[in-house]
Amino acid sequence: MVTTLIITRAIHIGASILIAGIFTFDLVALGLAGPVKSDLHEIDRRLFSLALWSLIVALLSALLWFWLEVASMSELSLKNAFSATAWWPVLFETQFGRVWQLRLGVIAAAFVAVVSGLVQIKARGAD
């Protein structure tokens, strides 16, 4: 289970870094170009699509990471780690749980930003 936990954390962190890089690139490189020109429109669309998939991976890996941590901290089987008596203390009484909640909040905010960006990109493409 330790190996699975390490791989899950690595996937989550990798997806998070990719999302941060996409937003930074979009803000710095494409943002300085002013309104998105037609040749940059496709790049912008692909970046936001990649960001959406990265957010999905970040969310799924965060959920798996939390589940594995609950099982590890409570010394329960993965099946028994689903019970509220197992995950409640981890979520609300540990530093990991508080940071995990913050991560989920950031993922939710980024998801809203990406979906909003994709809608704007599609609207610009329809013009």
Side-chain angles (χ1 to χ4, degrees), residues 44-94:
D44 209 26
R45 187 191 65 75
R46 286 183 185 210
L47 281 175
F48 274 84
S49 294
L50 179 60
L52 181 62
W53 284 107
S54 297
L55 281 166
I56 291 168
V57 169
L59 175 63
L60 294 175
S61 61
L63 294 171
L64 180 58
W65 182 6
F66 181 75
W67 181 36
L68 293 167
E69 281 292 345
V70 169
S72 176
M73 288 182 188
S74 60
E75 297 180 351
L76 294 171
S77 68
L78 290 175
K79 179 182 172 186
N80 293 335
F82 273 119
S83 70
T85 56
W87 62 260
W88 187 269
V90 174
L91 185 60
F92 295 106
E93 298 174 11
T94 66

Side-chain angles (χ1 to χ4, degrees), residues 13-26:
I13 291 168
S16 300
I17 290 170
L18 183 58
I19 293 163
I22 289 168
F23 282 135
T24 302
F25 179 79
D26 191 59

